[in-house]
Amino acid sequence: MTSRRSAPSSPPSTDRCHALGHEPTSAVREVDQAASPERLGHNGRVSDETLGLMSGDNYYQEHSATQRDTSELGLSFIDEALADLGESPDRPLIADFGVAQGRNSARPISRALAHFSDDVEVVVVHSDLPGNDWHSLFGFVSDEPQSYLRGRDNVRGCVAGTSFYNRLLPKECLALGWTSAAVHWLSESPGKITDNFFVQSSTDTRAQTAYREQSRADWQAFLRNRAVELRPRGSIVFVDVLMGDDGLMGSEKLFASVETSLRWALTAGIIATSEYEGIAYPTWFRSLDEFREPFPFMGPEGSSLDLVSLTPVQLADPFKSDFERSGDRDAYAQQQVGFLRGF
């Protein structure tokens, strides 16, 4: 999504949003990513401590090449967004919403920084939940050759340890916001699902309604806070997973195998009924209509956001070509399992 704000002295401002999506994906320059029916997703037990956190000790970073590759779908939208910004602010601020361990943000942030001259001091704010693997992030940004800090003395990085559904930044300071593979995660669990850990494969209509409504409220909260934080003509670019018009987001076959394993463990007495019922994937993959619904978005104090573009992109199973070349089923399974365990 690309949002633009007019100057405070102007009439109610309009922020522009561009979105690129791969089906699954989203952005406001929004990118909706779309994966093949074999593509992976996430699962996890719901708890206050772990909701929406990626696996630590660099595990997610080492098993998220798929997310890293799909985030590149949004690079051209970053270029468009910063071209729309016009004259460079004195001290531009870039925000990375949902950074995890940092590697997947390296190219997008570097792409954005390339738009500013070396004599302009730029601030980069990375946000994620308090329980994020911050140690791995700090190590990556400080030490890795791919870090956006390499060769740039004019860039200052810092972090915000809170949900991106909250207000994070001062008013009208944000030049560019970036988020990838993140906004499908909900701010809180809407509760149990009776017959499947993945609510969008469930027949539990009560749970589906609760998750859908939580998703709607979260999307509104995200946009409301960004509308306040964005400077005039500032932009947000999203890449996320989209629920396609066919009612699929690409990971259903993988998730079905997880659900089969959970039911087997329940029948075998490995997990108790209460444990099975407590397992849920606290996400909602939005449709195109659900992404578009709030726009044009009217924020606080007369600010507004426009959705400039929303682009669905269909992606193939990222591991299938290796399997077709090698025929190695064990290697293929390990790639899928590693991807899944990252969540």
Side-chain angles (χ1 to χ4, degrees), residues 65-102:
T66 301
Q67 294 93 321
R68 191 155 52 251
D69 291 346
T70 55
S71 71
E72 296 190 10
L73 294 169
L75 296 181
S76 64
F77 287 87
I78 291 174
D79 296 335
E80 292 179 28
L82 290 173
D84 289 344
L85 186 62
E87 184 177 352
S88 176
D90 292 337
R91 186 174 286 113
L93 190 151
I94 298 169
D96 176 17
F97 298 107
V99 60
Q101 293 149 26

Side-chain angles (χ1 to χ4, degrees), residues 280-333:
Y281 179 31
T283 60
W284 184 265
F285 295 96
R286 298 177 182 91
S287 66
L288 286 171
D289 286 344
E290 287 171 321
F291 274 118
R292 291 177 180 133
E293 181 184 11
F295 296 100
F297 182 82
M298 301 306 299
E301 303 177 31
S303 62
S304 66
L305 293 170
D306 281 343
L307 182 63
V308 174
S309 59
L310 177 62
T311 309
V313 179
Q314 185 76 30
L315 300 181
D317 180 341
F319 309 122
K320 190 173 181 179
S321 59
D322 286 346
F323 171 68
E324 288 176 340
R325 282 194 299 268
S326 68
D328 189 336
R329 295 186 179 186
D330 289 340
Y332 179 74

Side-chain angles (χ1 to χ4, degrees), residues 108-149:
I109 299 302
S110 293
R111 184 72 162 247
L113 292 172
H115 285 262
F116 301 101
S117 62
D118 293 342
D119 60 349
V120 174
E121 191 172 45
V122 184
V123 177
V124 178
V125 178
H126 301 286
S127 78
D128 215 306
L129 298 173
N132 182 50
D133 181 9
W134 296 107
H135 181 269
S136 293
L137 170 66
F138 297 151
F140 177 82
V141 172
S142 298
D143 303 330
E144 291 294 325
Q146 309 99 303
S147 171
Y148 60 83
L149 291 180

Side-chain angles (χ1 to χ4, degrees), residues 59 63 329-341:
Y59 188 91
H63 295 84
R329 295 186 179 186
D330 289 340
Y332 179 74
Q334 287 303 313
Q335 287 177 311
Q336 298 280 12
V337 168
F339 179 89
L340 185 59
R341 284 179 173 169

Side-chain angles (χ1 to χ4, degrees), residues 24-104:
T25 259
S26 69
V28 188
R29 283 184 198 248
E30 191 164 346
V31 178
D32 283 326
Q33 333 176 43
S36 74
E38 295 102 328
R39 191 173 183 274
L40 300 176
H42 333 306
N43 87 314
R45 184 181 301 277
V46 176
S47 73
D48 292 340
E49 293 76 20
T50 62
L51 184 67
L53 291 178
M54 306 300 101
S55 296
D57 297 327
N58 270 323
Y59 188 91
Y60 173 75
Q61 193 147 262
E62 297 297 333
H63 295 84
S64 59
T66 301
Q67 294 93 321
R68 191 155 52 251
D69 291 346
T70 55
S71 71
E72 296 190 10
L73 294 169
L75 296 181
S76 64
F77 287 87
I78 291 174
D79 296 335
E80 292 179 28
L82 290 173
D84 289 344
L85 186 62
E87 184 177 352
S88 176
D90 292 337
R91 186 174 286 113
L93 190 151
I94 298 169
D96 176 17
F97 298 107
V99 60
Q101 293 149 26
R103 184 174 298 171
N104 296 352

